[in-house]
Structures are given as structure tokens and as C-alpha cells.
């Protein structure tokens, strides 16, 4: 697979606009996909936000392996970040956001108090890669439809300020991907969860990556969903696609398996959680 490069003009513009607004921001909120926490963490954001207090939200926890989500939460806390688990669809964890931002801004409150200033609403910026669920999360947070929502990356095209009650002003930003992914597995994970537009990668390659990973880490979920034998050969992708395609009716004329439909089915069922709660990367082992 070639190095993935995807840096549309609106993303370069978004990065520039975020940089321009940072001087007035008190807290940075970073939304990550709980299924791929590091792969969905944009390294450009580290360069942008530098020493600003950061709240990490692990989103889509309903689709992720709960044990792995707990491991990832501790991982980011050890790095010095506050972490909240959220589910934008149900609203789980959303009520914790404003208090978490206020806790991160305690030094700022002390500064205002020492100068005899009346506290104003905190200003936070929310950052995340495309299709991480940012717009759905914001609508949950403000309890109304403020941000456009879609199931494909790149819905938010421009910045907008959104009031969250009287205590928080939130700057919404377009999702930003970085110019290229040196680690090809990062590209596969982003493609598997829908963060990269589907037409940029081959469905078959991404589905094969998911199958190999799940047969290694979550074999029972895959075998149960697709009625595979216990002695199935996880290295023989052709036979695996044949068996899944036949059992799920993804067929062409002449009795041949439609590999494209089989791959599409697998990715659709991964993204919806139909296969089960799956996390596609593990916390790094300390060296």
C-alpha cells in the first residue's frame, strides 16, 4: 500500500485559523475515537496547542472494547491529561465536560480573583479528525442542533462559536487530518473506522487488515458472527472471504463470491458494532 496523502485545502485553512484563535483559548478539548485512540490523535494538534490545558474525550465508547478503553484512559492520564469517556449518540459523559474544563482552568480563575476580575465564560476549542463524531457530540452538549451531522468525513467546513450555557463558549472547527501517514497501519485503522473517505483506499485491503487483527485479538467475535470453523486459517484471506461471502450471500453470477461486497459488509458491520465491541489498537508497552 502506498503512503496515504490527504490534505485538502480546507484542512490547511482550518489549521491556520485555529492557530490564529489560540491566544484567546483557555482549554483545548480533543475528541478521539475510543477504538483507535492514538491513530485518531492528530500529531499536528500537539504543535498547535502546546502548553494549553487539554481535556481528552474518548468518543464512541459503545463501539469499543470496555477493558481497552479503561487502559487507554489510564494511558492518557499518565501523560498529564484529563480524560472523559463519552458516547455522543446517547449523551453518556456529556454532563462531565463543563466541570472538567473548569477544573483545568483553576489557575486562570485564581488569576482573575487575584486581580479582582469577575470570571467570564471559559473559551474552549474542540479539535478532532474528520468523522470522529464531533458535530454529534456538540449537539448533545448544547442539547440542540448547532452543528451539521453526517456519517462521512468533512461535514464541518468552517469555525463557529457555540454557547454552552453561561459558563463555556466553544469554538467548533473542521476536522483536520495530517499531511500523510508514515505508519501504514494508522491509515488502515482510520479507513476501517470511516475517518478516511472510502474511495481513497481499497475496501478489500482494509477489510483484510480488520480480519487479520480480529482473528488474532477477537477470534470468538469473528467466528461467531460469520459462523467460521475453529480451525479456520487466518492467513488464507481468499478462503476467508469466500466463506464469509457465501454465508452472507455476497455472490456473483456463476457461483463466484463478490469480494467487494464481502469487504463492504465486513467494514459496515465493524463500524456499526454488529460484530461486537472492538478496539483496533492496544496501549503501547513501556520499553
Amino acid at each position: 500500500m502506498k503512503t496515504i496523502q490527504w490534505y485538502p485545502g480546507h484542512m490547511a485553512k482550518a489549521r491556520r485559523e485555529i492557530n490564529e484563535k489560540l491566544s484567546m483559548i483557555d482549554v483545548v478539548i480533543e475528541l478521539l475515537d475510543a477504538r483507535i485512540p492514538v491513530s485518531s490523535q492528530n500529531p499536528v494538534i500537539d504543535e498547535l496547542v502546546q502548553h494549553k490545558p487539554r481535556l481528552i474525550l474518548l468518543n464512541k465508547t459503545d463501539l469499543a472494547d470496555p477493558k481497552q478503553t479503561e487502559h487507554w484512559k489510564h494511558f492518557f492520564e499518565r501523560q498529564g491529561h484529563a480524560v472523559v469517556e463519552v458516547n455522543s449518540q446517547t449523551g453518556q459523559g456529556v454532563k462531565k465536560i463543563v466541570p472538567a474544563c473548569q477544573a483545568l482552568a483553576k489557575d486562570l480563575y485564581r488569576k482573575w480573583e487575584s486581580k479582582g476580575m469577575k470570571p467570564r465564560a471559559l473559551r474552549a476549542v474542540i479539535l478532532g479528525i474528520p468523522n470522529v463524531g464531533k458535530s454529534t457530540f456538540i449537539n448533545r452538549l448544547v442539547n440542540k442542533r448547532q452543528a451539521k451531522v453526517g456519517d462521512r468525513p468533512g461535514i464541518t467546513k468552517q469555525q463557529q462559536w457555540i454557547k454552552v450555557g453561561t459558563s463555556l463558549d466553544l469554538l467548533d472547527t473542521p476536522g483536520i487530518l495530517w499531511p500523510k501517514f508514515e505508519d501504514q497501519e494508522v491509515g488502515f485503522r482510520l479507513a476501517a473506522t470511516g475517518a478516511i473517505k472510502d474511495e481513497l483506499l481499497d475496501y478489500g485491503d482494509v477489510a483484510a487488515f480488520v480480519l487479520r487483527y480480529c482473528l488474532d485479538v477477537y477470534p470468538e467475535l469473528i467466528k461467531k458472527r460469520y459462523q467460521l470453523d475453529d480451525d479456520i486459517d487466518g492467513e488464507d484471506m481468499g478462503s476467508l472471504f469466500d466463506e464469509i461471502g457465501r454465508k452472507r450471500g455476497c455472490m456473483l453470477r456463476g457461483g463466484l463470491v463478490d469480494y467487494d461486497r464481502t469487504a463492504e459488509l465486513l467494514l459496515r458491520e465493524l463500524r456499526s458494532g454488529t460484530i461486537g465491541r472492538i478496539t483496533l489498537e492496544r496501549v503501547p508497552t513501556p520499553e
Side-chain angles (χ1 to χ4, degrees), residues 3 12 52 90 102 117 121 126 140 145 164 199-200 210 251 268 271 286:
T3 298
K52 297 279 184 181
T90 65
Q102 291 171 329
M117 297 169 61
I126 182 163
R140 276 284 177 186
R145 190 181 176 90
V164 183
E199 57 266 28
L200 291 176
V210 169
M251 305 299 292
R268 187 170 65 246
R271 293 171 185 175

Side-chain angles (χ1 to χ4, degrees), residues 204-264:
D205 289 343
V206 180
F209 168 81
V210 169
L211 261 181
R212 285 193 191 94
Y213 180 87
C214 289
L215 281 170
D216 182 42
V217 181
Y218 300 102
E220 296 310 313
L221 291 180
I222 288 290
K223 289 174 183 176
K224 181 179 179 182
R225 179 62 189 166
Y226 299 112
Q227 301 174 345
L228 301 176
D229 297 331
D230 285 338
D231 59 352
I232 190 75
D233 184 358
E235 295 302 313
D236 187 350
M237 279 296 127
S239 296
L240 269 172
F241 271 66
D242 281 339
E243 187 157 355
I244 293 172
R246 288 195 188 96
K247 287 182 175 175
R248 298 303 300 275
C250 301
M251 305 299 292
L252 297 167
R253 288 182 180 178
L256 298 174
V257 171
D258 187 332
Y259 291 129
D260 288 340
R261 278 181 59 203
T262 304
E264 187 176 348

Side-chain angles (χ1 to χ4, degrees), residues 75 78 283-287:
F75 172 81
R78 287 194 298 271
V283 171
T285 305
E287 294 181 3

Side-chain angles (χ1 to χ4, degrees), residues 5-22:
Q5 298 198 6
W6 188 47
Y7 207 44
H10 80 269
M11 290 191 181
K13 179 185 176 188
R15 175 176 173 168
R16 186 173 64 251
E17 289 179 345
I18 291 168
N19 209 27
E20 291 169 356
K21 292 282 199 319
L22 266 181

Side-chain angles (χ1 to χ4, degrees), residues 8-286:
H10 80 269
M11 290 191 181
K13 179 185 176 188
R15 175 176 173 168
R16 186 173 64 251
E17 289 179 345
I18 291 168
N19 209 27
E20 291 169 356
K21 292 282 199 319
L22 266 181
S23 61
M24 60 192 298
I25 296 298
D26 305 314
V27 177
V28 173
I29 300 174
E30 184 178 12
L31 196 63
L32 304 180
D33 188 325
R35 298 167 297 176
I36 53 167
V38 167
S39 292
S40 63
Q41 188 172 45
N42 190 333
V44 170
I45 289 176
D46 282 337
E47 300 170 21
L48 283 172
V49 304
Q50 297 179 6
H51 302 300
K52 297 279 184 181
R54 192 186 311 189
L55 173 63
I56 286 181
L57 307 182
L58 293 173
N59 193 29
K60 305 188 180 183
T61 51
D62 58 315
L63 301 174
D65 180 339
K67 288 183 180 178
Q68 294 305 316
T69 298
E70 190 67 19
H71 291 325
W72 280 110
K73 184 172 184 286
H74 294 322
F75 172 81
F76 289 117
E77 286 173 342
R78 287 194 298 271
Q79 293 183 343
H81 303 307
V83 184
V84 175
E85 298 175 33
V86 297
N87 178 348
S88 300
Q89 297 294 335
T90 65
Q92 173 203 334
V94 167
K95 290 184 178 178
K96 298 178 181 179
I97 306 307
V98 172
C101 288
Q102 291 171 329
L104 287 172
K106 59 182 183 297
D107 288 344
L108 184 60
Y109 285 124
R110 288 196 200 101
K111 180 180 176 183
W112 289 338
E113 185 178 5
S114 68
K115 292 184 176 181
M117 297 169 61
K118 184 178 179 182
R120 58 163 171 76
L122 288 176
R123 297 183 190 126
V125 62
I126 182 163
L127 305 173
I129 66 170
N131 211 28
V132 75
K134 190 154 52 66
S135 297
T136 303
F137 166 75
I138 289 170
N139 290 338
R140 276 284 177 186
L141 186 63
V142 300
N143 203 26
K144 62 176 75 170
R145 190 181 176 90
Q146 287 274 2
K148 290 182 180 179
V149 176
D151 61 357
R152 65 185 191 278
I155 294 294
T156 304
K157 291 293 193 293
Q158 60 186 12
Q159 295 182 347
Q160 59 175 331
W161 283 100
I162 297 167
K163 294 197 75 65
V164 183
T166 58
S167 54
L168 185 68
D169 291 338
L170 187 66
L171 179 61
D172 184 19
T173 61
I176 310 176
L177 277 173
W178 47 110
K180 62 181 178 180
F181 314 116
E182 300 294 350
D183 183 344
Q184 298 306 298
E185 287 200 358
V186 170
F188 278 131
R189 292 186 195 110
L190 290 166
T193 55
I196 296 174
K197 291 180 179 179
D198 287 329
E199 57 266 28
L200 291 176
L201 279 174
D202 182 81
Y203 256 144
D205 289 343
V206 180
F209 168 81
V210 169
L211 261 181
R212 285 193 191 94
Y213 180 87
C214 289
L215 281 170
D216 182 42
V217 181
Y218 300 102
E220 296 310 313
L221 291 180
I222 288 290
K223 289 174 183 176
K224 181 179 179 182
R225 179 62 189 166
Y226 299 112
Q227 301 174 345
L228 301 176
D229 297 331
D230 285 338
D231 59 352
I232 190 75
D233 184 358
E235 295 302 313
D236 187 350
M237 279 296 127
S239 296
L240 269 172
F241 271 66
D242 281 339
E243 187 157 355
I244 293 172
R246 288 195 188 96
K247 287 182 175 175
R248 298 303 300 275
C250 301
M251 305 299 292
L252 297 167
R253 288 182 180 178
L256 298 174
V257 171
D258 187 332
Y259 291 129
D260 288 340
R261 278 181 59 203
T262 304
E264 187 176 348
L265 168 82
L266 185 81
L267 293 179
R268 187 170 65 246
E269 295 195 340
L270 171 81
R271 293 171 185 175
S272 66
T274 304
I275 297 172
R277 297 179 69 173
I278 290 171
T279 298
L280 290 172
E281 62 185 347
R282 293 293 187 259
V283 171
T285 305

